[in-house]
C-alpha cells in the first residue's frame, strides 16, 4: 500500500467507522480516500495473529491504506470537506466539488458520487479579481461545511434518516437521503447573506 503522500491539502477531515474503528480521510486535493486502521488492543485475538515474533512486530502500529476515487472525480481542489458514516457507507460533503456527494461502501470499497440537485453551472465559481469578488458570494467554493445525520420522512410518510449539511457559501441546506434512494436535494429558504 502507498504510504508516502506528496502535496498539500491532501485530506480535509474524516470519520470513524464504529464497526471497525477505521478512520477514513476525505479527499481534498488527493485522488484517494485514506484509511487508517488503528492497532488492536494488545489482548485481542487479532493483535496476536499480526505478530507472533516480537522482533518483527507490527503490534501497536496503525496500518495505512488508500481507496482510489474514480477517474472522473479525482481532479480539483478542496473537493470534499468532512465525512459522515451511516449504514455501512462513508459520505464526503462537497466543498468545491460541483460533481456531488462522495459515497463509499465500507465493505466493498466501491466509490461513487451522488450528483447535486441542480446543474453544475449553478454552483460554478466566477474567476473574478479579488476586489470584485469581495462584494459577491462565490457559490462554487466552500459550499457546505460538513454534515450530520438527523431524522427525515420519505415521500410515503415513512420515517428515515438523512444527512443535513449546513451551507457556507451555498444558498440552501443540502440533504442527502439515507433511505436507499441516494437522492440529494436542497431544502429550506435561500440563505444568501455573506461570504465565507
Amino acid at each position: 500500500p502507498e504510504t508516502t503522500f506528496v502535496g498539500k491539502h491532501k485530506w480535509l477531515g474524516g470519520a470513524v467507522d464504529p464497526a471497525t474503528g477505521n478512520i477514513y480521510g476525505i479527499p481534498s486535493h488527493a485522488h484517494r480516500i485514506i484509511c487508517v486502521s488503528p492497532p488492536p488492543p494488545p489482548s485481542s485475538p487479532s493483535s496476536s495473529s499480526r505478530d507472533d515474533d516480537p522482533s518483527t512486530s507490527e503490534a501497536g502500529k496503525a496500518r495505512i491504506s488508500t481507496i482510489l476515487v474514480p477517474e472522473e472525480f479525482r481532479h480539483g481542489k478542496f473537493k470534499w470537506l468532512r465525512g459522515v458514516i451511516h449504514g455501512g457507507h462513508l459520505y464526503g460533503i462537497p466543498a468545491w466539488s460541483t460533481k456531488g456527494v462522495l459515497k463509499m461502501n465500507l465493505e466493498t470499497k466501491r466509490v461513487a458520487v451522488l450528483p447535486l440537485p441542480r446543474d453544475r453551472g449553478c454552483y460554478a465559481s466566477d474567476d473574478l479579481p479579488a476586489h470584485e469578488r469581495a462584494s459577491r458570494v462565490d457559490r462554487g467554493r466552500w459550499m457546505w461545511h460538513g454534515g450530520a445525520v438527523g431524522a427525515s420522512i420519505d415521500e410515503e410518510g415513512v420515517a428515515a434518516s438523512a444527512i443535513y449539511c449546513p451551507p457556507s457559501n451555498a444558498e440552501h441546506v443540502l440533504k442527502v437521503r439515507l433511505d436507499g434512494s441516494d437522492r440529494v436535494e436542497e431544502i429550506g429558504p435561500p440563505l444568501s447573506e455573506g461570504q465565507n
Side-chain angles (χ1 to χ4, degrees):
E2 185 179 0
T3 56
T4 303
F5 307 104
V6 178
K8 58 183 180 178
H9 308 298
K10 293 177 280 294
W11 294 277
L12 287 176
V16 177
D17 179 2
T20 64
N22 290 342
I23 302 158
Y24 292 91
I26 303 299
S28 172
H29 290 35
H31 295 176
R32 297 170 178 268
I33 296 165
I34 192 169
C35 176
V36 179
S37 300
S43 61
S44 74
S46 61
S47 66
S48 59
S49 65
R50 274 173 67 174
D51 68 325
D52 293 334
D53 178 1
S55 65
T56 59
S57 174
E58 288 293 314
K61 293 185 179 178
R63 288 181 284 164
I64 309 294
S65 59
T66 60
I67 302 99
L68 195 59
V69 172
E71 173 68 33
E72 63 269 30
F73 306 117
R74 288 182 201 158
H75 304 288
K77 299 177 180 180
F78 306 109
K79 295 180 289 285
W80 297 284
L81 172 66
R82 301 189 182 102
V84 173
I85 289 181
H86 185 272
H89 292 88
L90 168 71
Y91 296 86
I93 310 307
W96 289 23
S97 173
T98 59
K99 294 182 179 175
V101 176
L102 182 71
K103 179 182 181 184
M104 183 183 77
N105 182 306
L106 295 174
E107 185 177 333
T108 66
K109 306 301 188 238
R110 182 180 174 276
V111 179
V113 173
L114 310 177
L116 292 174
R118 294 195 276 166
D119 180 83
R120 286 176 54 192
C122 294
Y123 304 104
S125 297
D126 295 328
D127 287 328
L128 298 172
H131 68 279
E132 290 181 37
R133 204 177 322 128
S135 63
R136 292 186 45 192
V137 175
D138 187 348
R139 302 268 177 236
R141 296 185 178 167
W142 308 116
M143 295 183 289
W144 294 278
H145 277 205
V149 176
S152 179
I153 305 293
D154 70 13
E155 275 80 22
E156 284 125 35
V158 177
S161 295
I163 299 171
Y164 295 92
C165 309
S168 179
N169 289 333
E171 286 188 300
H172 299 274
V173 170
L174 191 70
K175 179 179 180 181
V176 182
R177 291 183 177 267
L178 301 173
D179 57 6
S181 69
D182 283 344
R183 189 166 143 204
V184 178
E185 57 192 334
E186 292 178 337
I187 62 170
L191 305 165
S192 56
E193 288 183 27
Q195 171 78 39
N196 178 19

